[in-house]
Amino acid sequence: QVQLVESGGGLVQAGGSLRLSCAASVRTFSSYRMAWFRQAPGKEREFVAQISSSGAITYYTDAVKGRFTISRDNDKNTVALQMNSLKPEDTAVYYCAAGLASGVIFTNTYAYPYWGQGTQVTVSS
């Protein structure tokens, strides 16, 4: 069982920055691929970013490329999402997810069996 807890959400003005953090309670955190998804009101949950188990490979959805950065610290069992140049359309509940599926890139929610409770990010204009 993998327990994930997100934190760092809040209200920020457009153009501002916010850093989300996800703490994982698991013995083998370094074995998991980690990802961030987001879900806006009335919309389906969408992929945002993912990072390989070692942290060497990252992938982002086009909407956040150049603005968001995913990182992980396998010694602290944490994964972070640094969000810069935030836009109102970034407003959503952000979820941390973990999975063990082999491969390079996984953007589907089904590849991640473990999820956090989510943290709200609101970007005002």
Side-chain angles (χ1 to χ4, degrees):
Q1 181 67 42
V2 179
Q3 300 292 327
L4 305 174
V5 181
E6 303 97 332
S7 63
L11 176 64
V12 65
Q13 210 166 15
S17 298
L18 206 60
R19 184 179 178 85
L20 305 183
S21 182
C22 174
S25 297
V26 58
R27 292 175 60 84
T28 55
F29 177 73
S30 61
S31 297
Y32 288 82
R33 169 185 290 101
M34 302 297 296
W36 288 94
F37 288 76
R38 66 186 181 186
Q39 187 168 21
K43 298 182 179 180
E44 295 186 350
R45 192 167 299 186
E46 65 174 350
F47 171 82
V48 176
Q50 75 125 81
I51 187 167
S52 63
S53 58
S54 68
I57 302 173
T58 59
Y59 180 76
Y60 305 87
T61 187
D62 288 343
V64 306
K65 284 183 178 178
R67 299 189 298 119
F68 290 12
T69 301
I70 188 172
S71 62
R72 68 189 296 161
D73 188 333
N74 286 346
D75 291 328
K76 297 181 179 179
N77 282 20
T78 59
V79 60
L81 184 67
Q82 179 65 46
M83 304 183 293
N84 298 326
S85 301
L86 283 163
K87 305 175 181 180
E89 49 263 46
D90 293 320
T91 295
V93 175
Y94 283 70
Y95 298 89
C96 177
L100 289 171
S102 61
V104 180
I105 301 172
F106 292 92
T107 61
N108 194 288
T109 59
Y110 297 114
Y112 301 90
Y114 306 102
W115 296 81
Q117 82 288 349
T119 185
Q120 177 71 48
V121 172
T122 302
V123 184
S124 64
S125 59

